C-alpha cells in the first residue's frame, strides 16, 4: 500500500503505512511527568504498571491511526527530512459561503506582526499560531474569524477566557457570537465555548445504555459538524482527555 495521509475532516488526519514514523514525530515526554503518581508507579514497578511519562498524539482507533490535522505540516516536514513524501488526500468538503454578516473592514489597527500572523494563518488553512502571553491572541482570533467568514467554534479552557474572548470576537467581527459555558448554553453560528461545558453536555454518562450512547454521540456530531472552522485557545492543553473528547 502506498504511503498516504488522508485528511478526513478539520480535526483528524489518518496515517497509512506511516504509523511508526508519525508516532515518532508526535511522541514526547509530558511536562512534569516525573512528579506524577502514575510515573512513580511505573518507575517503582520496573515498567510493569503505571505510565512512562510519554504522550502519543497519534491515536489508534477502530479504523486506523489518526493525529490532529493541525499538526499536518509539522508531520510532513518531519517526513521530508527523512526523504519521504507521502501522498496527501484531502477528503474534506469545501464549506458553503457563510450567511453571517461580518464587518467589512478591520475594527482595530493591527500591528505588523499581527498582520503577518493572520496572513500566514489564512494561507496555511490549519496549524498552530505561537504567540506569547499579552501579545494580542484575542485580536488574532477575532480578526481571523472576520476574514474567514465561516461558522466557527472557538474553544477555551477557563471561564475568564470565555468571557474575555467572547467580547473581543464579537467586537472585532461585528457579528453576533454565541457563548457556551459559565452556566450558559447559547450557541451561534460563531460560538466561544469552554471545552468542559461541551464535554459535560455532549458526552454520555458512563452508565448510559449503548443505544442512548449512540444517539447522544450522533447528536453531538451533528452539533459540532455545523462548524467549518475550529480555533483552540491555549492549544497546548489539547492532549488532555477533555479536549480530545470534543
Amino acid at each position: 500500500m502506498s504511503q498516504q495521509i488522508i485528511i478526513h475532516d478539520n480535526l483528524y488526519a489518518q496515517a497509512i503505512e506511516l504509523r511508526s514514523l508519525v508516532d515518532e514525530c508526535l511522541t514526547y515526554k509530558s511536562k512534569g511527568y516525573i512528579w506524577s503518581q502514575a510515573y512513580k508507579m511505573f518507575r517503582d514497578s520496573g515498567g510493569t504498571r503505571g505510565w512512562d511519562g510519554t504522550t502519543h498524539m497519534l491515536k489508534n482507533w477502530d479504523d486506523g491511526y489518526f493525529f490532529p490535522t493541525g499538526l499536518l505540516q509539522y508531520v510532513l516536514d518531519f517526513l521530508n527530512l527523512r526523504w519521504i513524501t507521502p501522498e496527501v488526500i484531502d477528503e474534506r468538503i469545501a464549506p458553503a459561503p457563510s450567511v453571517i454578516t461580518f464587518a467589512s473592514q478591520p475594527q482595530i489597527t493591527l500591528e505588523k506582526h499581527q498582520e503577518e500572523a493572520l496572513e500566514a494563518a489564512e494561507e496555511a488553512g490549519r496549524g498552530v499560531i505561537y504567540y506569547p502571553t499579552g501579545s494580542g491572541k484575542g485580536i488574532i482570533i477575532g480578526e481571523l474569524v472576520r476574514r474567514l467568514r465561516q461558522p466557527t467554534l472557538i474553544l477555551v479552557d477557563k471561564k475568564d477566557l470565555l468571557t474575555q474572548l467572547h467580547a473581543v470576537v464579537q467586537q472585532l467581527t461585528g457579528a453576533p457570537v454565541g457563548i457556551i459555558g459559565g452556566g450558559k448554553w447559547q450557541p451561534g453560528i460563531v460560538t466561544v465555548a469552554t471545552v468542559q461545558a461541551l464535554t459535560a453536555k455532549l458526552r454520555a454518562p458512563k452508565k448510559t445504555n449503548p443505544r442512548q450512547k449512540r444517539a447522544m454521540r450522533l447528536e453531538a456530531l451533528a452539533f459540532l459538524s455545523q462548524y467549518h472552522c475550529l480555533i483552540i485557545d491555549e492549544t497546548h492543553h489539547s492532549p488532555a482527555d477533555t479536549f480530545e473528547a470534543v
Side-chain angles (χ1 to χ4, degrees):
M1 184 180 291
S2 61
Q3 294 175 324
Q4 298 175 337
I5 292 178
I6 301 176
I7 306 170
H8 285 273
D9 51 39
N10 287 332
L11 297 176
Y12 285 102
Q14 182 178 12
I16 297 178
E17 294 296 301
L18 292 163
R19 180 185 63 81
S20 59
L21 283 169
V22 175
D23 186 48
E24 179 186 347
C25 174
L26 299 179
T27 297
Y28 61 93
K29 290 291 187 181
S30 299
K31 184 177 180 180
Y33 72 93
I34 60 173
W35 309 113
S36 74
Q37 291 301 318
Y39 175 74
K40 291 176 182 177
M41 182 186 297
F42 177 84
R43 180 193 60 199
D44 296 343
S45 68
T48 59
R49 293 183 297 147
W51 172 55
D52 67 355
T54 301
T55 294
H56 297 263
M57 295 294 284
L58 184 71
K59 304 297 182 180
N60 181 11
W61 292 332
D62 292 341
D63 48 353
Y65 292 87
F66 294 82
F67 63 92
T69 191
L71 296 172
L72 177 61
Q73 191 58 53
Y74 182 73
V75 169
L76 292 176
D77 290 344
F78 178 88
L79 295 173
N80 289 340
L81 287 173
R82 287 151 182 80
W83 303 98
I84 298 172
T85 305
E87 179 185 10
V88 177
I89 301 171
D90 193 340
E91 294 188 343
R92 296 177 302 165
I93 299 173
S98 173
V99 298
I100 314 170
T101 301
F102 290 90
S104 59
Q105 298 294 328
Q107 303 300 293
I108 193 171
T109 301
L110 299 169
E111 301 285 348
K112 181 181 178 183
H113 62 86
Q114 292 171 333
E115 182 62 46
E116 291 173 348
L118 285 161
E119 289 177 358
E122 285 186 279
E123 181 180 355
R126 69 178 66 84
V128 179
I129 300 175
Y130 181 68
Y131 251 47
T133 302
S135 57
K137 288 186 292 182
I139 292 173
I140 295 295
I141 292 172
E143 176 62 11
L144 187 59
V145 173
R146 187 193 71 82
R147 294 187 184 193
L148 294 177
R149 288 170 145 61
Q150 293 295 335
T152 301
L153 177 63
I154 303 166
L155 293 180
V156 300
D157 68 328
K158 296 182 181 66
K159 184 179 176 181
D160 58 342
L161 287 175
L162 173 73
T163 54
Q164 292 172 18
L165 199 52
H166 178 263
V168 170
V169 173
Q170 192 155 267
Q171 174 195 351
L172 296 184
T173 61
V177 176
I179 185 169
I180 294 176
K184 298 179 181 178
W185 184 273
Q186 301 167 2
I189 298 180
V190 174
T191 300
V192 183
T194 64
V195 70
Q196 295 89 343
L198 275 179
T199 302
K201 182 77 172 181
L202 302 178
R203 179 191 274 174
K206 289 184 178 179
K207 294 184 179 180
T208 306
N209 68 55
R211 180 177 294 180
Q212 288 177 314
K213 188 173 291 188
R214 175 174 171 75
M216 288 190 68
R217 175 173 172 78
L218 292 175
E219 181 182 352
L221 290 174
F223 172 77
L224 293 173
S225 66
Q226 68 183 298
Y227 298 106
H228 299 158
C229 177
L230 173 67
I231 299 175
I232 304 176
D233 190 31
E234 304 287 345
T235 193
H236 58 281
H237 293 306
S238 59
D241 289 344
T242 49
F243 271 86
E244 186 178 339
V246 172

